[in-house]
Amino acid sequence: MAVDVTNPDPEYLAFWREYHLCTLTTPRPDGSPHVVPVGVTYDPEAGLARVITNKNSRKVTNVLAAGPDGARVAVCQVDRGRWATLEGRATVRTEPDVVDDAVRRYAERYGRTPAPNPGRVVIEIALDRALGRA
């Protein structure tokens, strides 16, 4: 079921604000999917999803390998019969204010502030598709 990325219905948005681990799927350089568990925050007003991670992670390597336009990715979460997927173009952001904002959003959703990490970056996903049933 298609959802408006920047104007989701209240149930869909509430589902993205609950505590759920998600998956991030990035393309490897050979085109095969790399799927890993992550925490995701969804900002419909900006049309963005964000994943905080270490700059040396495979997911960051995959996004960077796609080139300056970024990689086509998907994030997904499932809870019994409810599910939600966000898709878009991912880029890696390293600016301290962007990283700090992403950490704040993560702490708000997941109820804990991650330990400081000087290698932390943000995979920022410019969303163009949302699907789900919440």
Side-chain angles (χ1 to χ4, degrees):
M1 169 181 309
V3 175
D4 183 341
V5 169
T6 58
N7 190 26
D9 63 59
E11 293 81 17
Y12 190 83
L13 185 57
F15 185 43
W16 275 104
R17 295 206 166 127
E18 294 171 10
Y19 186 109
H20 295 286
L21 291 179
C22 305
T23 60
L24 169 66
T25 303
T26 59
R28 291 184 181 102
D30 69 2
S32 65
H34 177 256
V35 184
V36 293
V38 294
V40 176
T41 61
Y42 173 33
D43 180 358
E45 294 82 17
L48 297 173
R50 297 174 181 92
V51 175
I52 57 174
T53 188
N54 192 288
K55 67 182 177 183
N56 296 320
S57 70
R58 178 79 237 178
K59 53 192 162 289
V60 168
T61 300
N62 289 344
V63 171
L64 293 174
D69 292 335
R72 182 103 185 128
V73 303
V75 290
C76 184
Q77 64 181 19
V78 177
D79 180 40
R80 298 182 185 165
R82 299 184 305 157
W83 63 276
T85 300
L86 300 170
E87 299 178 20
R89 185 72 50 186
T91 55
V92 177
R93 303 287 304 269
T94 60
E95 305 90 332
D97 60 323
V98 173
V99 174
D100 289 347
D101 179 58
V103 168
R104 180 189 60 77
R105 290 171 186 275
Y106 177 96
E108 188 175 289
R109 181 174 187 196
Y110 291 101
R112 69 172 192 82
T113 301
N117 176 355
R120 182 172 287 130
V121 298
V122 178
I123 296 176
E124 188 176 82
I125 306 163
L127 301 170
D128 57 26
R129 183 179 295 163
L131 306 165
R133 181 178 308 167

